[in-house]
Amino acid sequence: MSHAIGTTGTSYLDAPHGLASWLLTKDHKRIAMLYLISITIFFAVGAMFAATIRAELATPQGDLLDSDMYNKIFTLHGVVMIFFFLIPSIPAVLGNFLLPIMCGTKDLAFPRINLLSWYIFIAGAIITLAAVFNGGVDTGWTFYTPYSSIASESSVTVAALGVFVTGFSSILTGLNFIVTVHRMRAPGLTWFRLPLFVWAIYATSLVMILGTPVVAITVLLVAAERALHLGFFDPTRGGDPVLFQHLFWFYSHPAVYIMILPAMGVMSELVAAVSRKQVFGYSFVAFSSLAIAVLGFLVWGHHLFVSSQSIYAGLVFSIITMLVAVPSAVKTFNWTATMYKGSVTWESPTYWVVGFMGLFTIGGLTGLFLATMGLDIHLTDTYFVVAHFHYIMVGGAIMGYLGGMHFWWPKMTGRLYSEAGAKASAILVFVGFNLTFFPQFLLGYMGMPRRYHAYPPEWQVLNVLSSAGASVLAIGYLLPAFYLTYSLIKGAKAPANPWGAKGLEWTIPSPPPTFNFEDDVVVDEPAYNYKPAREVHVG
Amino acid sequence: MDMLYLFIAAISAFFVVLVAALVVIFAVKFRRRHAEDVGADIHGSLVLELTWTFIPFAIAMVMFVWGADLFFRLGRPPADAMDVFVVGKQWMWKVQHPSGVREINEMHVPVGRPIRITLGSEDVLHDYFIPAMRVKMDAVPGKLTTLWFTATTPGTYHLFCAEYCGTKHSGMIGQVIVMPPQAYEAWIAANQPSINLVEAGQRLFEHGQQCSACHKEDGSGRGPSLAGLFGSTVQLADGRTAVADENYLRESIVNPSAKIARGFSSPSIMPTYQGSMSEERLIELVAYLKTLRPSRSE
Ligand code: HEM
Ligand SMILES: [Cu+2]
């Protein structure tokens, strides 16, 4: 791989100073940092709401909050976590930072649009905040009609507008990534030499630009219905309340893949790096990302098995859902096989990898219960679903995000953090997570419905376990805030390639100079080209 | 259903243990011994990958077929089921038995008999959920939906609303009281109102809403005869056909011009009862219409 180390271009962090130079930057790395700071704040807000919910549920009576308040809090927890943290997390932070570097280019295709996306994102967040100060929203993040369109007296319109605006930010980011991957790859960097992270972000971007307009229109219809009483979803005016669910899940099911596909991409990079080995079955992993993105669009109806949708439609949705499980299983087996005969290090990224594998596997397999129509009848809208989607979104996506943050932090900031702290955090998150969410599978199986602010007393033990787990989890999440911040001040300077990993990003200094590469990049080898140092017998 | 649970739980447990064990074993057995070591140069194996594409596929298909079969059985009430009507409303469940007995947030049923519940909603989405019976169905405004179950053991069971419906969603709960048949009969007898569901519907039809002014049994009125309508296939004015099920009857009352029977002109002269008739009245009317046999003159 030809590259340029050495010539000490000023790092992107040092280049021009001052707030304005950051707020008007067109550098993809600085924009990634802007996103990092914003979504970290939103994550903290969302987590505070989660803590409040768990505190309330420690006792069976609704004694901490009144039911109205409770409904508003779980709605905000969902809205903030999904639209303002999870969807932008890996794509907007790690994707923004790494995609141009991994493609061997100086920036994204449209640097100004990239900055614009961040401003739109912030604008969306401010509008949503306005809804909070305007009394809150109590519809759940799913905004189901006709409750949201005719019954709720909360600030649904403002919140819907916030989500609508935020959607444009995803669309622009996705567009930017797609054009960059198509047009700006370095000479010699063919599609099948791309890191798998780029494939995953590419597939995610396709989902973003195809799906997001649908949710944008859907929430706009709700706002319009509230303002003008148009009656799209109101049966007394000839509308169909279930139509909303189709429109909503047409985006929101693929949105789950917007959250998890990038994490899968991160895992592929991490597994290869910690085992110093080519990812097992590169093309299967690459194509399974595309397969998941495509199939993901065809399964929305599995949220509607008991919605009065026809049972034949249910049949089709159920079978396609089962099909999505296959590429996910393939990926899991391929990651596992990558470690076989690897040279596996036990540094902090490995801890996140192992944690991810455990949680994602449980999350994925419990999805099969829900895809099985006969069982979904009993489980849907119970805590089983809450547990399942937290295993995927929190166990999978956030483990992936944190794993990626730990892996690339030295590259992004030029500093090394405390390995001990990172390992402790990964372990606490893993233990706390299982303690929080595993009992919820049991609660769901026993029939505890979701979005309940009080519940029958016989379920208190499991709920207390879950709340206790949430405290452990919270500590696990808080730790990195300390040692990562500390590393910025006191951390040792990071070398260009602290993990001994392969990939263009490891060929440039940490932190990278403003224009990434001094010379033009030419790539002449496949991704993850670790050459065995000594003779290894391949069985 | 519980067999299927066990089956999937066993498969899941197997794969979780398998993946976890392999990850840990590989990560320990192949751990890096020298800082410069790299892994073996293995790129993949088509045979292996096809194997682990095919096996999950096959297992998923077994689950699908089993689950779909169960779903179909749960979706088709047996013909001899006993009808109970339930209406959801923020924030309560209103139950009507065929005998005319009404209850709120409680539902008494006899053990051993299939119970078919017809569900309506007066405002927003609700969801009728009895965990112990493994049944759940959305109550959708503007529509009637159904579910059925057979209780096997007398006792008192939870009844929940599982679709978020606003402030007191978690208070929209109740009890299903399963009784031995004799006790059930006694309970019905003790609570017997003067008029049963069908009679209430008939009274509405003939007096309350004046439906019978137009819908004469012999077809001589300004509207079609409704005798024998339920369950038949109706020819519509626009050439389509529709099966006259409960939803068809309900829709024809609240929104007569949605589906106009052949031979009757559009726009319909029948008034719409949208908004002026509660879901419970509609259920009474539908219950009555279902009892109308083809007229004697045939
Ligand atoms: C930090 C630990 C977390 C805890 C303890 C937690 C706990 C909960 C609880 C108890 C509920 C309410 C379930 C219900 O009543 O239906 C909930 C809902 C939800 N959570 Fe979390 N959560 C956590 C993190 C997250 C994260 C990180 C995300 C996404 C990034 C997330 C996304 C959601 C969503 C989308 C809902 C559904 C909200 C709704 O019903 O409208 N949660 N969570
Ligand atoms: Cu309800």
Side-chain angles (χ1 to χ4, degrees):
Chain A
M1 222 179 274
S2 75
H3 46 71
I5 307 188
T7 34
T8 46
T10 336
S11 97
Y12 80 100
L13 290 172
D14 295 329
H17 277 292
L19 194 60
S21 75
W22 279 86
L23 292 179
L24 298 175
T25 181
K26 292 183 292 290
D27 182 349
H28 65 101
K29 300 180 288 300
R30 287 194 164 197
I31 295 173
M33 287 297 165
L34 293 179
Y35 272 111
L36 173 61
I37 295 165
S38 356
I39 70 164
T40 305
I41 295 171
F42 293 133
F43 181 67
V45 172
M48 249 139 61
F49 289 133
T52 318
I53 298 174
R54 275 316 334 164
E56 166 64 64
L57 294 177
T59 58
Q61 312 82 13
D63 40 13
L64 184 67
L65 306 161
D66 66 13
S67 46
D68 218 27
M69 200 60 194
Y70 181 82
N71 297 344
K72 287 176 178 166
I73 288 186
F74 80 66
T75 300
L76 289 169
H77 168 66
V79 169
V80 170
M81 284 298 199
I82 298 223
F83 295 107
F84 298 100
F85 171 68
L86 212 41
I87 289 181
S89 62
I90 298 180
V93 179
L94 296 174
N96 246 330
F97 197 97
L98 295 164
L99 191 102
I101 304 182
M102 287 181 168
C103 289
T105 161
K106 292 188 186 341
D107 207 325
L108 286 174
F110 309 110
R112 282 197 179 78
I113 291 185
N114 196 20
L115 181 64
L116 179 67
S117 327
W118 182 72
Y119 276 102
I120 294 178
F121 175 70
I122 295 298
I126 290 174
I127 297 176
T128 309
L129 265 184
V132 176
F133 290 110
N134 197 20
V137 205
D138 71 345
T139 58
W141 79 280
T142 48
F143 295 103
Y144 269 20
T145 57
Y147 183 71
S148 65
S149 56
I150 53 180
S152 173
E153 280 160 15
S154 61
S155 307
V156 180
T157 311
V158 186
L161 228 57
V163 170
F164 176 76
V165 169
T166 312
F168 284 95
S169 158
S170 299
I171 297 174
L172 292 179
T173 305
L175 210 68
N176 225 335
F177 288 166
I178 289 178
V179 176
T180 307
V181 176
H182 272 275
R183 311 281 315 172
M184 299 177 63
R185 280 173 286 123
L189 189 55
T190 60
W191 281 93
F192 290 99
R193 285 180 179 172
L194 283 174
L196 289 163
F197 179 72
V198 176
W199 273 93
I201 294 290
Y202 179 79
T204 309
S205 305
L206 288 179
V207 180
M208 281 182 175
I209 63 169
L210 295 175
T212 315
V214 180
V215 76
I217 291 165
T218 311
V219 292
L220 208 59
L221 287 179
V222 170
E225 177 137 346
R226 284 179 74 84
L228 310 169
H229 309 288
L230 296 178
F232 303 113
F233 308 120
D234 178 359
T236 65
R237 291 165 191 266
D240 179 0
V242 182
L243 171 65
F244 174 87
Q245 298 179 27
H246 284 284
L247 291 171
F248 179 82
W249 288 113
F250 183 78
Y251 164 77
S252 295
H253 193 80
V256 177
Y257 300 110
I258 297 182
M259 307 175 212
I260 193 69
L261 271 172
M264 294 172 157
V266 169
M267 276 308 126
S268 300
E269 297 299 313
L270 263 57
V271 169
V274 303
S275 3
R276 292 234 179 109
K277 198 160 153 289
Q278 153 85 26
V279 173
F280 192 88
Y282 174 97
S283 48
F284 264 68
V285 178
F287 281 118
S288 63
S289 286
L290 289 183
I292 292 173
V294 172
L295 289 172
F297 271 109
L298 304 175
V299 301
W300 77 90
H302 68 210
H303 297 271
L304 279 74
F305 289 152
V306 300
S307 72
S308 80
Q309 149 185 282
S310 100
I311 56 182
Y312 296 98
L315 213 61
V316 176
F317 286 124
S318 171
I319 197 163
I320 304 176
T321 306
M322 292 289 185
L323 294 183
V324 190
V326 176
S328 313
V330 169
K331 282 196 196 252
T332 310
F333 288 126
N334 279 14
W335 291 322
T336 310
T338 303
M339 296 177 119
Y340 178 71
K341 295 216 163 154
S343 163
V344 183
T345 173
W346 277 94
E347 287 164 290
S348 59
T350 318
Y351 285 66
W352 298 101
V353 169
V354 173
F356 173 94
M357 295 287 279
L359 301 183
F360 177 73
T361 310
I362 298 181
L365 286 164
T366 49
L368 289 174
F369 287 81
L370 298 170
T372 306
M373 305 158 87
L375 299 188
D376 183 71
I377 294 181
H378 175 55
L379 295 175
T380 186
D381 279 322
T382 67
Y383 260 83
F384 192 95
V385 171
V386 177
H388 160 70
F389 72 66
H390 280 89
Y391 265 85
I392 295 286
M393 301 196 310
V394 186
I398 298 195
M399 276 283 188
Y401 172 68
L402 288 177
M405 284 306 292
H406 282 84
F407 186 56
W408 283 296
W409 182 263
K411 179 54 60 187
M412 295 167 76
T413 62
R415 298 293 180 154
L416 296 175
Y417 49 81
S418 147
E419 273 284 305
K423 289 173 186 172
S425 160
I427 292 172
L428 282 176
V429 167
F430 185 80
V431 172
F433 182 90
N434 280 303
L435 195 55
T436 310
F437 294 105
F438 202 83
Q440 296 183 5
F441 283 124
L442 305 177
L443 283 171
Y445 176 73
M446 292 169 171
M448 178 166 166
R450 67 194 280 199
R451 300 177 172 178
Y452 261 34
H453 141 266
Y455 54 86
E458 67 258 34
W459 293 332
Q460 186 172 10
V461 175
L462 286 169
N463 272 296
V464 168
L465 271 182
S466 178
S467 298
S471 332
V472 178
L473 186 55
I475 300 173
Y477 282 143
L478 272 175
L479 264 185
F482 293 110
Y483 62 77
L484 290 181
T485 314
Y486 182 79
S487 79
L488 291 180
I489 311 162
K490 284 268 165 71
K493 290 243 187 307
N497 190 357
W499 314 113
K502 288 278 173 179
L504 283 175
E505 76 271 28
W506 304 113
T507 64
I508 57 175
S510 310
T514 304
F515 292 109
N516 302 344
F517 302 96
E518 296 289 316
D519 304 320
D520 286 341
V521 182
V522 178
V523 178
D524 55 10
E525 59 177 15
Y528 321 110
N529 195 21
Y530 296 95
K531 286 268 166 34
R534 56 200 156 86
E535 204 54 44
V536 179
H537 176 71
V538 181
Chain B
M1 177 181 276
D2 289 309
M3 280 306 291
L4 182 51
Y5 265 116
L6 277 180
F7 173 69
I8 302 186
I11 300 244
S12 303
F14 172 75
F15 279 107
V16 170
V17 172
L18 179 74
V19 170
L22 289 181
V23 168
V24 173
I25 291 173
F26 290 168
V28 173
K29 179 145 185 270
F30 300 112
R31 75 178 166 276
R32 190 174 303 166
R33 293 172 201 275
H34 305 281
E36 298 310 312
D37 280 359
V38 298
D41 197 19
I42 306 175
H43 289 255
S45 149
L46 195 62
V47 178
L48 266 180
E49 284 171 84
L50 287 178
T51 315
W52 66 53
T53 310
F54 183 73
I55 292 177
F57 173 76
I59 295 177
M61 285 307 112
V62 172
M63 290 179 189
F64 165 73
V65 171
W66 191 342
D69 176 59
L70 190 63
F71 189 72
F72 273 83
R73 275 188 279 133
L74 294 172
R76 298 238 172 84
D80 63 341
M82 175 180 133
D83 270 304
V84 178
F85 300 87
V86 176
V87 174
K89 178 177 183 308
Q90 281 174 326
W91 287 278
M92 64 177 93
W93 294 110
K94 301 197 275 187
V95 180
Q96 283 174 286
H97 292 264
S99 60
V101 175
R102 293 158 183 271
E103 338 176 42
I104 287 187
N105 291 344
E106 283 199 349
M107 189 175 82
H108 289 75
V109 293
V111 76
R113 225 177 125 185
I115 312 289
R116 173 177 185 272
I117 293 180
T118 304
L119 264 183
S121 162
E122 271 187 27
D123 37 40
V124 299
L125 291 171
H126 300 281
D127 187 298
Y128 195 77
F129 177 32
I130 315 172
M133 310 297 161
R134 305 277 188 266
V135 290
K136 179 184 288 132
M137 188 46 136
D138 276 4
V140 183
K143 234 187 236 182
L144 295 175
T145 53
T146 55
L147 60 93
W148 75 277
F149 63 89
T150 308
T152 52
T153 320
T156 303
Y157 302 95
H158 286 297
L159 161 63
F160 295 118
C161 174
E163 187 67 81
Y164 176 70
C165 59
T167 309
K168 298 218 181 75
H169 168 56
S170 55
M172 192 166 161
I173 56 181
Q175 297 180 330
V176 177
I177 298 150
V178 178
M179 310 169 99
Q182 307 85 336
Y184 175 74
E185 295 305 334
W187 179 83
I188 288 285
N191 290 280
Q192 191 58 52
S194 55
I195 176 170
N196 71 27
L197 204 61
V198 171
E199 288 161 358
Q202 182 171 18
R203 192 182 286 177
L204 279 173
F205 192 80
E206 287 168 1
H207 309 289
Q209 303 289 349
Q210 304 291 339
C211 316
S212 55
C214 292
H215 295 285
K216 298 215 161 58
E217 217 175 316
D218 58 6
S220 68
R222 292 199 292 156
S225 162
L226 303 182
L229 176 61
F230 180 71
S232 70
T233 303
V234 185
Q235 304 290 329
L236 298 183
D238 60 9
R240 293 176 301 157
T241 58
V243 176
D245 58 8
E246 284 143 331
N247 265 316
Y248 174 87
L249 298 180
R250 186 190 171 284
E251 184 182 41
S252 301
I253 301 169
V254 294
N255 186 11
S257 44
K259 297 200 178 80
I260 297 169
R262 178 169 297 169
F264 294 86
S265 59
S266 157
S268 171
I269 53 165
M270 175 170 160
T272 75
Y273 289 89
Q274 183 73 62
S276 64
M277 204 181 301
S278 75
E279 214 56 52
E280 287 168 285
R281 295 290 90 72
L282 283 168
I283 281 173
E284 288 163 2
L285 269 175
V286 169
Y288 168 65
L289 293 179
K290 283 165 71 175
T291 64
L292 294 178
R293 297 285 118 228
S295 56
R296 271 141 273 150
S297 57
E298 269 182 320

